[in-house]
């Protein structure tokens, strides 16, 4: 969500202004290249948390307007934005369901409770997914019924829960984690950022079947959010730079692009389409040059 938790957001005057950009993505001989980013939201205010639908034709995202957070949809071919949810509550972090017939969200309910809900793709039929685990800040589907959750607290914890048992409680797998939870394509595993005041933060993964946590690689300075290509290359960003890390090759992160010349600053969240042909980037537009 934002650079602050939802609990703090409720008292904030306004969320940070961010836009969502789309760009072509290509992989050749293990090296990623990206095209020119196009701003697809391009308005004042908070547009963030993009997620591609499984068919790659659209993205869902969170948009805050008049202090109300709802889920919006950008259709790539039509180049149009439309509202998906219109509720009195606030919805964040849209994530396609494993069955591809809807999406899950973090919902801030009227009493400020934060729990996991789901909707049909058209924004109808809201239903509670997990009723006992709260306050949930972020989530990812590890497989068809297993959820990996960022649960707010001091510190925040990484928890695993069974979505087929709505009343189930989460089991804690790690503590003091970052906000980016991403399923690793082709595997029943989810990556997360593990904070470490001594050794520095690292990207780690949890196997949702064995619940084993495995360190992967130290992260670049300033990197907080991650995404994976379909062939298993990790992406992250810091400032205006994009980086890749290929587990099959090992080694350090490699810079693949600097998007300062494209007018992007403070790149944060990333999302990759299921086919691996497009990349969504959340960034702050650079201010116009002084006259």
């Amino acid at each position: 969500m934002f650079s602050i938790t939802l609990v703090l957001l409720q008292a904030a005057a306004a969320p940070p202004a961010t836009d969502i950009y789309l760009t072509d993505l290509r992989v050749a001989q293990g090296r990623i290249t990206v095209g020119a980013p196009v701003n697809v939201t391009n308005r004042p205010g908070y547009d963030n948390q993009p997620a591609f639908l499984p068919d790659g034709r659209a993205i869902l995202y969170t948009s805050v307007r008049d202090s109300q957070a709802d889920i919006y949809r950008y259709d790539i071919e039509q180049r149009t934005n439309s509202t998906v949810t219109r509720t009195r509550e606030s919805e964040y972090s849209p994530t396609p369901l494993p069955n591809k017939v809807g999406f899950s969200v973090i919902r801030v309910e009227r009493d400020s409770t934060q729990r996991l809900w789901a909707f049909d793709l058209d924004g109808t039929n809201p239903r509670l997914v997990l009723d006992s685990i709260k306050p949930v800040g972020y989530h990812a589907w590890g497989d068809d019924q297993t959820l990996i959750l960022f649960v707010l607290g001091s510190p925040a914890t990484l928890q695993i829960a069974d979505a087929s048992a709505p009343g189930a409680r989460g089991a804690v797998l790690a503590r003091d984690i970052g906000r980016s939870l991403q399923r690793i394509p082709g595997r029943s595993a989810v990556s997360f950022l593990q904070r470490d005041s001594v050794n520095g933060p690292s990207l780690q993964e949890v196997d949702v079947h064995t619940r084993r946590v495995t360190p992967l690689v130290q992260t670049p300075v300033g990197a907080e959010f991650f995404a994976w290509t379909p062939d298993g290359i990790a992406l992250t960003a810091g400032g205006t730079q994009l980086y890749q890390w290929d587990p099959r090759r090992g080694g350090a992160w490699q810079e693949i692009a600097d998007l300062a010349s494209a007018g992007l600053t403070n790149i944060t969240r990333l999302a990759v389409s299921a086919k691996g042909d497009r990349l969504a980037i959340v960034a702050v537009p650079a201010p116009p040059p002084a006259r």
Side-chain angles (χ1 to χ4, degrees):
M1 291 168 190
F2 310 150
S3 59
I4 52 178
T5 66
L6 283 182
V7 171
L8 293 178
L9 174 60
Q10 303 309 304
T18 50
D19 279 322
I20 299 172
Y21 298 77
L22 285 184
T23 179
D24 292 334
L25 185 152
R26 296 181 178 86
V27 183
Q29 298 180 339
R31 178 74 177 182
I32 292 176
T33 58
V34 297
V38 176
N39 191 333
V40 300
T41 51
N42 199 22
R43 69 171 194 94
Y46 182 89
D47 296 306
N48 210 313
Q49 302 174 340
F52 283 92
L53 290 180
D55 62 10
R57 296 180 180 178
I59 60 171
L60 300 177
Y61 65 96
T62 302
S63 186
V64 178
R65 308 185 185 199
D66 297 323
S67 301
Q68 172 67 32
D70 282 303
I71 305 306
Y72 281 67
R73 172 182 174 131
Y74 176 77
D75 286 281
I76 295 172
E77 290 186 3
Q78 289 79 15
R79 300 182 182 180
T80 57
N81 289 281
S82 57
T83 310
V84 179
T85 63
R86 297 176 182 271
T87 70
R88 294 178 60 183
E89 296 80 11
S90 287
E91 289 86 35
Y92 298 89
S93 298
T95 303
L97 294 172
N99 61 14
K100 302 181 181 180
V101 299
F103 60 93
S104 50
V105 296
I106 306 302
R107 194 178 207 188
V108 182
E109 300 167 23
R110 296 182 189 181
D111 62 356
S112 297
T113 299
Q114 292 176 208
R115 293 189 290 183
L116 192 70
W117 287 68
F119 288 80
D120 291 348
L121 283 177
D122 62 0
T124 62
N125 190 26
R127 62 267 190 194
L128 191 59
V129 178
L130 295 171
D131 59 17
S132 299
I133 303 176
K134 56 187 177 182
V136 180
Y138 309 92
H139 72 292
W141 290 90
D143 60 21
D144 288 351
Q145 65 179 34
T146 309
L147 280 157
I148 300 296
L149 308 165
F150 173 110
V151 180
L152 296 166
S154 299
T157 56
L158 184 77
Q159 298 190 22
I160 188 169
D162 184 353
S164 67
R169 296 190 177 277
V172 176
L173 303 177
R175 300 178 185 277
D176 196 12
I177 65 166
R179 296 169 288 164
S180 182
L181 306 178
Q182 295 292 328
R183 182 167 182 180
I184 302 175
R187 300 174 51 205
S188 296
V190 171
S191 66
F192 66 98
L193 179 72
Q194 178 63 65
R195 303 189 189 281
D196 188 323
S197 60
V198 176
N199 299 312
S202 62
L203 186 65
Q204 303 197 8
E205 69 170 41
V206 56
D207 184 303
V208 301
H209 294 154
T210 66
R211 301 190 178 187
R212 179 181 178 183
V213 173
T214 304
L216 297 176
V217 63
Q218 297 297 114
T219 56
V221 174
E224 291 189 66
F225 298 95
F226 304 86
W228 293 85
T229 67
D231 54 353
I233 298 175
L235 297 175
T236 192
T240 61
Q241 287 83 29
L242 295 178
Y243 301 92
Q244 73 167 59
W245 178 72
D246 190 339
R248 296 161 296 190
R249 297 170 182 257
W253 293 84
Q254 298 176 305
E255 182 180 325
I256 58 174
D258 189 330
L259 299 181
S261 60
L264 278 67
T265 68
N266 192 27
I267 299 172
T268 52
R269 287 179 174 83
L270 304 171
V272 178
S273 63
K275 293 182 179 179
D277 58 346
R278 289 190 174 101
L279 176 68
I281 302 169
V282 174
V284 177
R291 306 179 82 178

